[in-house]
Amino acid sequence: MSTITAVEHSLTAPSVDELEQYRSELTAYCYRMLASPFEAEDAVQETFIRAWRALDRFEGRAALRSWLYRIATNVCLDMLSGRERRARPMDLGPAREPIEANLNTLPEVTWIQPLPDPAEAAVERDTIRLAFVAALQHLPPRQRAVLILSEVLRWQAAEVAELLDTSVPSVNSALQRARATLERTDVTAAGELDDEDRALLDRYVQAFEAYDIDALTTLIQEDATQSMPPFDLWLRGRDDIFTWWFGPGIGCEGSRVIPVGSANGSPAFGQYKPAPGGGYEPWALQVLEISGGRIAEFTFFLETDTLFPLFGLPARLDE
């Protein structure tokens, strides 16, 4: 490398810190594309590796953010190539009867996984909710990228076109088709939690730990839903939920419920079931949706081996 080239390279090449400042937002972007926090982390790592390898094509620090998004988008498109979309149980069929015989796993299905909420305030809660991320998975990967970049990150059509090596009319056409698909999924926005919602959650923890059906009845909407990935069974209606909780799910009685902040913009809790011989063992990461002053949806993510460490939850509770 000549002296002049070396100097130019040192002036334009980003440092580790300059790359790292974008890790959180790139992770949120890749998560929306891939619907898995673990795949999103892998995608960001691969983005940084490709960035370091391509430093000779980097055109200046002012373009660093868009350059990284271009690389991250290509990484995600590569990862999504030829793969079935991730899903939630309600994407695959109607609600079913709350009996143990309906509790099946589908090895060919890859489930949407929850993400601890990013720290930066710029992330909009509604664009990372489970229902919205699930709706994004119905879009072809390039449409998905166009919609996220345009609607979530507020990039101009010309910027998106440049990133995707396409034309502005193509971007606008893809965005129109993506919007139409999302409208058919009927994703509704949720408001910020207020003091009443937080009080509701406190009452829920007390009622669930006491397994108090009367108290729980006052907290849960009559038409609430429940799902339990990786099982495909999902339930609709408070009566069916209670039939499950006090039937096949009776082993949850006596559980401890530990708040862990939020996942995907929604309240999240670590649930520990009573363990044989004492103490409590991990059972589920509960993610709740609140609407109209009551709990409208329960998602019990049962893959605690990977999710509890992600959310900083202990491997067991002794008391």
Side-chain angles (χ1 to χ4, degrees):
M1 183 181 293
S2 70
T3 302
I4 293 176
T5 303
V7 171
E8 289 174 344
H9 184 81
S10 67
L11 289 173
T12 59
S15 67
V16 172
D17 288 342
E18 286 176 304
L19 291 180
E20 285 293 331
Q21 69 178 314
Y22 296 107
R23 179 180 291 276
S24 182
E25 64 175 277
L26 285 170
T27 300
Y29 172 64
C30 293
Y31 173 75
R32 293 183 181 95
M33 288 290 293
L34 302 169
S36 163
F38 307 106
E39 288 190 356
E41 182 179 352
D42 290 344
V44 173
Q45 286 297 107
E46 177 63 19
T47 295
F48 287 168
I49 291 171
R50 292 190 190 184
W52 280 114
R53 290 173 177 169
L55 285 180
D56 59 331
R57 298 193 296 275
F58 179 58
E59 297 178 352
R61 290 178 180 173
L64 177 58
R65 182 171 183 263
S66 59
W67 186 61
L68 289 173
Y69 269 93
R70 175 192 288 268
I71 298 171
T73 300
N74 288 330
V75 170
C76 290
L77 293 177
D78 288 347
M79 293 175 70
L80 291 167
S81 178
R83 194 183 78 180
E84 294 295 323
R85 67 181 174 90
R86 287 183 176 268
R88 303 180 76 197
M90 50 276 290
D91 295 331
L92 305 179
R96 302 177 69 186
E97 186 180 357
I99 57 176
E100 195 166 3
N102 287 333
L103 201 63
N104 305 304
T105 59
L106 300 176
E108 71 276 13
V109 173
T110 307
W111 301 105
I112 289 174
Q113 297 172 314
L115 176 75
D117 279 1
E120 72 271 12
V123 173
E124 299 177 30
R125 292 173 70 245
D126 284 330
T127 69
I128 209 160
R129 302 189 86 87
L130 288 170
F132 181 79
V133 173
L136 287 176
Q137 308 313 300
H138 289 271
L139 303 175
R142 286 180 68 85
Q143 276 189 32
R144 198 180 306 173
V146 167
L147 186 130
I148 296 168
L149 291 166
S150 302
E151 300 282 273
V152 178
L153 300 177
R154 308 297 183 187
W155 287 37
Q156 298 297 314
E159 296 174 307
V160 178
E162 182 179 1
L163 183 144
L164 293 174
D165 290 323
T166 188
S167 66
V168 170
S170 294
V171 166
N172 289 333
S173 176
L175 183 58
Q176 185 177 11
R177 295 195 301 274
R179 285 170 174 165
T181 300
L182 256 62
E183 286 175 3
R184 291 195 294 272
T185 64
D186 193 30
V187 178
T188 57
E192 295 285 340
L193 293 182
D194 57 24
D195 290 341
E196 291 185 2
D197 293 331
R198 284 185 278 273
L200 167 71
L201 293 171
D202 289 340
R203 294 196 301 275
Y204 165 72
V205 169
Q206 295 172 10
F208 191 90
E209 290 186 339
Y211 235 56
D212 183 340
I213 191 170
D214 292 329
L216 289 165
T217 298
T218 68
L219 304 175
I220 301 173
Q221 286 189 357
E222 189 174 352
D223 61 349
T225 61
Q226 173 183 310
S227 60
M228 299 171 288
F231 296 110
D232 64 339
L233 173 66
W234 69 281
L235 309 173
R236 181 181 293 281
R238 185 176 60 209
D239 289 345
D240 277 2
I241 291 173
F242 285 163
T243 297
W244 182 268
W245 287 7
F246 290 88
I250 194 63
C252 290
E253 185 174 15
S255 289
R256 293 280 307 280
V257 180
I258 309 299
V260 290
S262 57
N264 297 81
S266 302
F269 303 85
Q271 179 191 342
Y272 294 79
K273 287 172 59 173
Y280 300 84
E281 58 190 7
W283 176 247
L285 180 80
Q286 299 186 8
V287 180
L288 312 184
E289 294 285 349
I290 296 176
S291 178
R294 290 192 175 188
I295 299 169
E297 181 177 322
F298 297 88
T299 306
F300 295 136
F301 292 97
L302 303 182
E303 295 177 331
T304 58
D305 287 350
T306 55
L307 293 177
F308 271 38
L310 180 66
F311 282 81
L313 286 162
R316 63 174 282 119
L317 300 177
D318 293 326
E319 58 181 42

